[in-house]
Amino acid sequence: MTEKPDGGSTPGPVSPELLEARIRGLQHALGQLLEDARQLTYGEHQRAVQLHRQLQEQTAVARRESRALVDAKTAEALASAEPTARLLADKLAPGLASIPPNDARWRSRQLVGAGIPSYVRVGELDPGTPVAAPLLRTNGWRVTADRHESARRLLQSVALRLVAAAEPFRLRIDAFDPRLTGTMGLLGHLTTKYPQLVPRATHTAEQLHTVLSGLVDVSSLRASRQAQLGHERFEDLIRETGRVTDPYRLVILFDYPAGIDTLAQRDLLRLAATGGERGICFLVHHDPSMTPENDVDTKQLLDMLTPIAIAGEKVEVAQLPGVPAKLDPQFDANVAAGICDVVAELADIAVLPTIDFDRTLPDRSTWWQPVKDELSTVIGYDDRTPALVRLRSGNPALPHVLVGGAVGQGKSNLLLVMIHGLAARYAPADLEMYLLDFKHGVEFSALGPAAEREHWLPQVRVLGIHSDRAFGLAVLRHLSDELARRSEIFKAHGNVADIAELAAGPDRPPRLLVVLDEFQVLLEDDDELADEAAKLLERLVRLGRAYGVHVVLATQTIEGVKRLSTKRDSIFGQVPYRIALKTTPADAQAILRSGNTAAAELQFRGEAVLNANFGSPDDNQHVLVSFADKPVLDELRRELWTRAGEAAHPPRIFHLAEPARLADTAAAVKPELGRPWTGLPIAVTEAPVQVEVRPEPGAGVLVLGDGPADAIGVLSGLALSAAAAAVDPPRFVFVDGTNSSPAVADGKGALIQALRQLGCEVETVDKHDDIAPRLFALRDQVRNGQIGGETYLLGFGFHGVPKMQVHAEGFFESPANALQDIVRDGPSQGLITFGWWNRLHVCTEQLGYGRANVATHLFLKHPQDGVRAVCGPLVRWASEPHRALLWDGLHPEAQVVVPFAALRSDEVDRAVELVRR
């Protein structure tokens, strides 16, 4: 040690050996300390491990005991809850919506169409308890799965269950299958028969755009209807209206977001946001591995849908978290096909609830009110709203209507509803109807008088029942002349521009309703008639509005009509009202407007799309047309006819391939002296076609051609009209060259009876052997001036008299020579001949080359060469049934005539009463 200056001391220098010894001592102590710590730590670790193992063993024992207890309790709960769960499942998912795929009831038809299910089965718990989840009244499901096949199986199963459970046309399923999986092929039988229930799956973005665009329109319309009727949800609207024409819509998307672009995503989001409220539901299989297109956020759509997760053949629904159910197996294809066939059969016989026609009529106290600005009527209903058709000339201009629909979809019913609805609202003085039907139908026949009924619809002026093109053209000509006549009336009232400006009164002409059913028939053939008809129709729809003429054009299809290809815009551009019944997409667009296929989506007969804006899709109104029950309409016609009284004038009735009726003509026209009737013209007028017959050379009528019934009808018209117009009853000599043919016995007898009731003396020569002597005797009376007053020779079938060109026994000439003298020289003595021969050359052989100077020829069914020999080389004559061609030598063209039918014995009294008045 050494001392410090302050008196302390400091250690002396330490040797290295000492320092090394101290360090070794410290190292040993530290090592011992570490060893002690290691021993202590190891002991604690061992104790901790032992404790952990004890805890694990205790936990495992507790877990086993707990699981057994939970399983037992769960099994006990499920067993006790199974009956209740099954009952609840049957209630929420009725019928086939909750029955397992292997159940025998799938092979029965009893449960098909039981009702729209709000829940649908996805699988079952171990004891067989069904697991169902709400779907159709929600926005829908998003389905994720560890295997795509499992998700597709579930979607396929849900689709089949819903189709099987729903009533016909209460559900439509659209599917988007961008990866062409063909999953919806299970419903292929139904897609083939009823694509409006399950259309073929779409595969491209463009196809999906079309589907979604249509659904956007559906959603918008439903929102408007629900707001209008005060309903927040679609099912409430259906419950009130019972409307089956507006189905629930299910959209199935496979492998979303595959194939989804920005436009499709936008519409999907718009639809899904309110889908549950508007009956539009989505079933989306989400593939998370699929990368969406730019700007397509899958989360936005998926968050709106209820999650359904599938893993390892287990399915878990959001309503039962933590309770996975066993996924149902796939349906057998034969079972699915059988179910689809049953659904199609039910769709075949499904019908709409009908709306009685009486519901569309106003109170009787308001019938026949004066026309103001428009003609209006109700054709049906859109839910609780009457579907109005308002025919008006301005503000807005809604003058004409185009009606279209496939065969059997209710077009004729619609026309009858419209016609009778207007007839109940407007008196005959304010409304006249021209009704023409160009198809093989009889719907309009009940609107006119008939033998079995005396009443008719009093507003009907012209009634064409299965009209032909010539009569249709005649009506258009008449209406064109009517426009000119009304123009003069307007000028007389100070250049009035619109019929609505004329005050009600006798000077104001009635509104005209012109209905042309199957109007395209007028324009089909490539001929002059079609050209003129197209021009007149265009003029009528263009000018008719101001003059109070309203045209209803009805058709099944207008595709392929050549004349309409050039006149389409000029004609239909004047027709704002479009009414389309169920039809094809192409015809729907032809009737409504290009791009408007709403009529192709209709399901039932009697449904219609009513559009008052030239077919604009935004103005479609979905209506159910009322049902025109025949007895109800007949009783209405009787009531209106009685109300009209003496103002009810019988209409001009035209039947294709039917003869005219003498009694009907006699009721409308009085015979004129020297102008007997040959038949009716193909025209609107009720006046018959008359010929000049004066007591001078050349008088008489030669009837030529086949058809004894038409021939006796022509002779009946000539004879009765001549007898009724005569100052004193004339005398008739009836020569029957057919040897009293039974085919015309009734007509012949009725004619003779009618003439005698008119006070005429009628002599009949029925036997061939008696004809030659009577002709010679009659010729001698002519030569000797002994006819003794107005006399008519009715020669029925001179071609049938044998040996007319052979000298008769006891005479030095043939009976034909005598007949020639009678026909040529008789008129100046008061004897006129009306005769029938089957051929022109036979007539010429008997009467000579000039045919005894008779100018008037009436051809029935006759070869065209004979017709041209008389009427000229350019004449075309089709020789149609109950048609005749009149040539009188006075007019530049031959005229087509509808000959009269032979009188029946039960018509004689009425015909005589009418013709002599």
Side-chain angles (χ1 to χ4, degrees), residues 211-281:
V211 173
L212 296 179
S213 176
L215 279 171
V216 168
D217 292 339
V218 169
S219 180
S220 175
L221 288 173
R222 288 181 178 179
S224 299
R225 288 171 49 216
Q226 288 170 212
Q228 179 185 6
L229 299 178
H231 295 300
E232 293 185 0
R233 299 189 63 82
F234 178 69
E235 56 265 27
D236 298 328
L237 179 69
I238 294 297
R239 191 178 300 113
E240 177 190 338
T241 63
R243 184 166 173 170
V244 299
T245 60
D246 206 1
Y248 281 92
R249 302 293 296 269
L250 177 64
V251 180
I252 300 179
L253 304 180
F254 291 99
D255 304 300
Y256 176 80
I260 303 297
D261 58 16
T262 305
L263 179 59
Q265 177 74 0
R266 182 200 66 184
D267 285 343
L268 286 170
L269 295 177
R270 294 165 66 192
L271 291 166
T274 57
E277 299 171 1
R278 299 179 188 169
I280 300 173
C281 180

Side-chain angles (χ1 to χ4, degrees), residues 15 152 193 239 262 281 431 527 534 549 645 794 807 847 882:
S15 63
R152 292 165 186 159
K193 296 179 180 179
R239 191 178 300 113
T262 305
C281 180
L431 174 62
D527 56 14
V549 180
L794 302 181
H807 285 194
L847 299 185
H882 305 300

Side-chain angles (χ1 to χ4, degrees), residues 540-562:
L540 188 63
V541 297
R542 179 167 48 85
L543 302 179
R545 172 179 64 85
Y547 294 116
V549 180
H550 305 289
V551 181
V552 178
L553 302 174
T555 181
Q556 292 175 8
T557 179
I558 54 178
E559 291 299 303
V561 180
K562 181 179 179 181

Side-chain angles (χ1 to χ4, degrees), residues 509-580:
R511 300 291 181 109
L512 300 184
L513 180 73
V514 182
V515 179
L516 305 178
D517 193 8
E518 300 303 331
F519 75 96
Q520 78 283 353
V521 171
L522 271 171
L523 313 175
E524 283 178 341
D525 292 346
D526 187 12
D527 56 14
E528 294 178 358
L529 190 153
D531 288 337
E532 184 179 357
K535 293 176 183 177
L536 290 172
L537 183 58
E538 178 188 7
R539 182 171 188 268
L540 188 63
V541 297
R542 179 167 48 85
L543 302 179
R545 172 179 64 85
Y547 294 116
V549 180
H550 305 289
V551 181
V552 178
L553 302 174
T555 181
Q556 292 175 8
T557 179
I558 54 178
E559 291 299 303
V561 180
K562 181 179 179 181
R563 290 300 180 282
L564 284 178
S565 63
T566 57
K567 295 287 186 180
R568 187 187 190 95
D569 292 340
S570 59
I571 293 176
F572 297 151
Q574 308 292 329
V575 185
Y577 263 119
R578 312 293 172 90
I579 305 177

Side-chain angles (χ1 to χ4, degrees), residues 254-560:
F254 291 99
D255 304 300
Y256 176 80
I260 303 297
D261 58 16
T262 305
L263 179 59
Q265 177 74 0
R266 182 200 66 184
D267 285 343
L268 286 170
L269 295 177
R270 294 165 66 192
L271 291 166
T274 57
E277 299 171 1
R278 299 179 188 169
I280 300 173
C281 180
F282 292 87
L283 198 53
V284 178
H285 164 217
H286 178 217
D287 180 4
S289 66
M290 178 70 191
T291 302
E293 289 191 9
N294 292 334
D295 299 326
V296 174
D297 183 358
T298 59
K299 188 174 183 298
Q300 289 180 301
L301 176 63
L302 297 176
D303 284 349
M304 298 182 193
L305 308 177
T306 302
I308 303 287
I310 304 174
E313 292 298 304
K314 294 288 186 177
V315 56
E316 185 173 329
V317 299
Q319 290 77 13
L320 293 174
V323 184
K326 180 182 179 182
L327 185 66
D328 281 333
Q330 187 167 357
F331 276 91
D332 180 83
N334 292 327
V335 170
I339 289 294
C340 290
D341 289 340
V342 174
V343 172
E345 291 175 17
L346 294 178
D348 288 338
I349 61 176
V351 295
L352 276 173
T354 57
I355 295 176
D356 292 337
F357 174 70
D358 286 341
R359 281 188 60 193
T360 67
L361 293 179
D363 187 87
R364 278 172 169 74
S365 63
T366 65
W367 287 11
W368 289 13
Q369 295 296 314
V371 177
K372 295 181 180 179
D373 296 331
E374 66 183 25
L375 300 175
S376 66
T377 188
V378 177
I379 61 170
Y381 278 82
D382 176 5
D383 294 328
R384 295 181 299 192
T385 306
L388 271 173
V389 172
R390 304 164 59 209
L391 301 175
R392 53 188 298 126
S393 54
N395 299 321
L398 299 169
H400 312 303
V401 185
L402 176 62
V403 177
V407 178
Q409 296 307 313
K411 175 167 60 69
S412 296
N413 175 79
L414 169 61
L415 295 178
L416 290 174
V417 167
M418 186 184 302
I419 290 166
H420 287 80
L422 290 169
R425 289 169 170 82
Y426 305 102
D430 288 322
L431 174 62
E432 291 183 355
M433 299 183 181
Y434 291 68
L435 311 177
L436 302 184
D437 184 357
F438 290 97
K439 67 178 186 304
H440 296 276
V442 294
E443 285 78 9
F444 287 171
S445 61
L447 278 60
E452 65 276 10
R453 63 177 180 274
E454 61 177 356
H455 60 276
W456 60 87
L457 195 65
Q459 288 84 353
V460 178
R461 168 80 185 281
V462 173
L463 187 60
I465 302 169
H466 191 189
S467 305
D468 68 2
R469 299 174 69 233
F471 185 69
L473 180 61
V475 170
L476 292 179
R477 288 171 176 170
H478 171 83
L479 292 170
S480 182
D481 294 341
E482 177 64 16
L483 295 181
R485 188 183 74 85
R486 295 189 175 205
S487 175
E488 295 301 319
I489 294 175
F490 283 17
K491 291 177 183 178
H493 284 76
N495 288 322
V496 169
D498 193 294
I499 193 170
E501 299 175 21
L502 290 177
D507 291 339
R508 186 177 73 177
R511 300 291 181 109
L512 300 184
L513 180 73
V514 182
V515 179
L516 305 178
D517 193 8
E518 300 303 331
F519 75 96
Q520 78 283 353
V521 171
L522 271 171
L523 313 175
E524 283 178 341
D525 292 346
D526 187 12
D527 56 14
E528 294 178 358
L529 190 153
D531 288 337
E532 184 179 357
K535 293 176 183 177
L536 290 172
L537 183 58
E538 178 188 7
R539 182 171 188 268
L540 188 63
V541 297
R542 179 167 48 85
L543 302 179
R545 172 179 64 85
Y547 294 116
V549 180
H550 305 289
V551 181
V552 178
L553 302 174
T555 181
Q556 292 175 8
T557 179
I558 54 178
E559 291 299 303

Side-chain angles (χ1 to χ4, degrees), residues 573-901:
Q574 308 292 329
V575 185
Y577 263 119
R578 312 293 172 90
I579 305 177
L581 297 112
K582 181 182 175 183
T583 189
T584 65
D587 284 337
Q589 294 180 83
I591 297 298
L592 294 170
R593 182 177 178 177
S594 178
N596 191 347
T597 60
E601 303 296 324
L602 300 176
Q603 310 292 346
F604 293 95
R605 182 183 187 276
E607 287 184 273
V609 175
L610 173 63
N611 191 299
N613 189 20
F614 299 92
S616 172
D618 294 336
D619 296 288
N620 287 343
Q621 184 181 1
H622 189 169
V623 304
L624 179 57
V625 179
S626 66
F627 175 61
D629 189 47
K630 290 182 179 179
V632 172
L633 295 188
D634 187 63
E635 186 56 37
L636 174 63
R637 289 192 293 270
R638 183 189 301 277
E639 184 175 350
L640 297 177
W641 178 78
T642 302
R643 178 180 287 214
E646 295 183 357
H649 185 75
R652 165 74 165 98
I653 302 178
F654 185 90
H655 294 261
L656 177 66
E658 288 191 18
R661 299 291 174 184
L662 256 173
D664 294 341
T665 302
V669 180
K670 185 176 181 179
E672 298 179 44
L673 181 64
R675 294 175 58 81
W677 303 342
T678 61
L680 289 184
I682 299 182
V684 171
T685 178
E686 296 170 335
V689 178
Q690 300 170 315
V691 293
E692 297 286 342
V693 176
R694 298 187 178 92
E696 57 190 33
V701 177
L702 308 181
V703 182
L704 306 166
D706 293 327
D710 281 340
I712 194 67
V714 172
L715 295 183
S716 297
L718 291 167
L720 279 178
S721 58
V727 177
D728 297 316
R731 184 166 66 97
F732 288 86
V733 179
F734 192 107
V735 175
D736 186 354
T738 67
N739 209 22
S740 300
S741 170
V744 292
D746 187 52
K748 172 185 169 183
L751 171 59
I752 293 171
Q753 180 185 351
L755 291 173
R756 287 174 175 166
Q757 288 188 18
L758 287 170
C760 301
E761 177 188 342
V762 182
E763 175 191 353
T764 61
V765 184
D766 298 327
K767 303 299 182 182
H768 284 165
D769 292 342
D770 297 334
I771 292 176
R774 187 65 186 95
L775 290 177
F776 284 115
L778 195 58
R779 192 269 309 271
D780 292 343
Q781 289 179 293
V782 171
R783 287 180 174 178
N784 298 327
Q786 297 174 345
I787 292 300
E790 187 177 351
T791 304
Y792 292 92
L793 171 61
L794 302 181
F796 182 65
F798 279 130
H799 57 275
V801 181
K803 301 180 180 180
M804 280 289 286
Q805 278 79 41
V806 178
H807 285 194
E809 184 177 352
F811 297 90
F812 296 101
E813 55 187 332
S814 68
N817 294 131
L819 178 60
Q820 182 177 346
D821 292 343
I822 292 170
V823 176
R824 184 186 63 239
D825 302 330
S828 59
Q829 300 294 321
L831 174 60
I832 308 294
T833 300
F834 300 146
W836 169 52
W837 290 261
N838 68 338
R839 290 292 183 272
L840 174 68
H841 73 270
V842 178
C843 177
T844 303
E845 290 171 357
Q846 293 185 5
L847 299 185
Y849 179 74
R851 290 179 292 283
N853 300 323
V854 176
T856 302
H857 296 68
L858 190 75
F859 289 95
L860 301 174
K861 187 176 181 181
H862 195 285
Q864 189 156 260
D865 57 348
V867 177
R868 288 178 172 174
V870 173
C871 304
L874 300 180
V875 170
R876 289 185 296 179
W877 177 234
S879 296
E880 297 175 352
H882 305 300
R883 293 294 180 268
L885 187 69
L886 176 65
W887 174 261
D888 61 6
L890 300 176
H891 296 85
E893 294 182 355
Q895 181 179 3
V896 178
V897 174
V898 181
F900 293 111

